Amino acid sequence: MNNMVFMILIIAGYLILAPVAGFFLEGYDRVISSRLQRRMGPPFLQPVYDLIKLFEKQAIVVNNLETALVLGFTIFTIFSGCLFFAGGDILLVFFAFSLADMFLVLAASSANSPYSSLGSQREFVQMMAYEPMTLLTAIGFYMCCGSFNVSDIINQDVPAIVRTPGVFLGYCFILIIKLRKSPFDFSTSHHAHQEMVKGLTQDIAGNVLGILELGEIYEEVFLMTIVVLFFIWKNPLSYVLGIAVALLVFFIMIVVDNVFPRVKWEHMLVSSWGVTLSLAGSNFLILTMLKIARI
Amino acid sequence: MKISKSPWLLHYDASSCNGCDIEVLASTTPRFDVERFGIINTGNPKHADIFVITGGVNEQTRQVVKQLYSQMPDPKVVIAAGICACDGGIFKDCYNVSGGVDTVIPVDVYVPGCAVKPEALIDGVVKALAILDEKREAMKNHAVCEVNYGGKTKEE
Ligand code: SF4
């Protein structure tokens, strides 16, 4: 019973605090980016203003299906986050998460605009590039903790990073794709222009776009919590360490975003699979050879 | 919160000589940095709140301007940037030039200059923001969008 109440509290906390954390990350991103470009940049709360504005705009709905699918994206993203914070099965969390992304691709391809359908095709390529690594991340947690459950992973004697540094680096690499950062921002980008305008979100306007952005904010927070998860063990202080590392990783992402130009999709596919195979693969090989994997 | 805190901008070149376009782009560079006001230069009419047009519309761009305008969700404002966009400028007497953006769609702010200066353009955008807020208020008072955009309507 007590356990149940505790779980509900955690989920409620996640639902309320995740947007706060997400807006912090977004604001941090935009301010740091503009400072890197020697600009003043927008106010720190700009992402909040943007979202509120989107909800005040008229919705231009291309077809009703699109709205339903965008809603599906946001709901499934939030759902997989809830599952994660309730200490659920990390494999299931990742699958629910891919499903959410699938909804987004379908939403974009349901519109008639050529930019939008091009965006959805590119999003598929992106999914192909990062999906193997997300799966291996879950397996990595299993190999060092002996369980897929988040509640077990955070109760280990040593943090996961000790046994799976390769998996961690691989995960950081695909984080660039997931966070839609240059050089891998094909399907859509948070930057102004690109060769196919807004790609994936081309035909999503007004408050429907607001719902999508809200989902992306939950997504961002979830992705960064996986980084935190690598550094957590029994000690409560490890949460501080984890959050500090996650902020550092996010900062590196921003620098990468500002330094590298967009590459071709072939490069993305080859490099992300290469990184997955070499870093995560060698990590698993060493774990098995030294017989320190806990399976 | 006011909607004008996050204006996203769409820029279209309706037969300008490119002088004004360069200045519009200049205002997004670090030197003038319009992102201070939360302004983002988006290429997508469906995400835009402010429509900046340069050049006096000609026969080929006329339909495009109309279409872009109709694709933007309400509330929205239109800025005519440069003297060509305001009334045709030096191209006014050309046989194929309509003579100003307001011959095609209603314009809210006229920013003169040949080419328009980034400072003047930013000033115009800030003026447009006030109009954007007014329109949002007007929209709130109507269940359906019945905003009077001023200027000429389609029928005229
Ligand atoms: S106002 Fe001057 S600079 Fe601008 S489009 Fe016209 S001629 Fe070119």
Side-chain angles (χ1 to χ4, degrees), chain A residues 203-236:
Chain A
D203 264 341
I204 302 169
N207 45 28
V208 186
L209 184 65
I211 296 172
L212 173 71
E213 296 257 314
L214 192 66
E216 289 212 318
I217 279 171
Y218 274 101
E219 185 181 20
E220 198 169 338
V221 174
F222 167 76
L223 290 170
M224 295 318 290
T225 6
I226 297 284
V227 176
V228 179
L229 190 64
F230 274 99
F231 291 88
I232 287 180
W233 73 99
K234 268 180 188 156
N235 190 345

Side-chain angles (χ1 to χ4, degrees), chain B residues 47-127:
Chain B
H47 294 181
D49 311 292
I50 299 181
F51 190 11
V52 177
I53 310 183
T54 54
V57 183
N58 67 17
E59 282 313 310
Q60 298 214 346
T61 55
R62 188 185 194 91
Q63 278 309 319
V64 184
V65 169
K66 276 190 181 169
Q67 200 178 10
L68 286 175
Y69 181 74
S70 64
Q71 279 185 358
M72 286 169 63
D74 283 315
K76 55 190 168 188
V77 287
V78 178
I79 300 179
I83 200 68
C84 287
C86 292
D87 79 335
I90 54 164
F91 303 115
K92 193 179 177 111
D93 295 329
C94 291
Y95 62 92
N96 60 339
V97 169
S98 312
V101 178
D102 54 6
T103 56
V104 188
I105 55 169
V107 174
D108 298 286
V109 180
Y110 296 87
V111 186
C114 178
V116 59
K117 279 175 123 183
E119 292 93 332
L121 188 69
I122 292 172
D123 200 23
V125 170
V126 172
K127 276 219 166 63

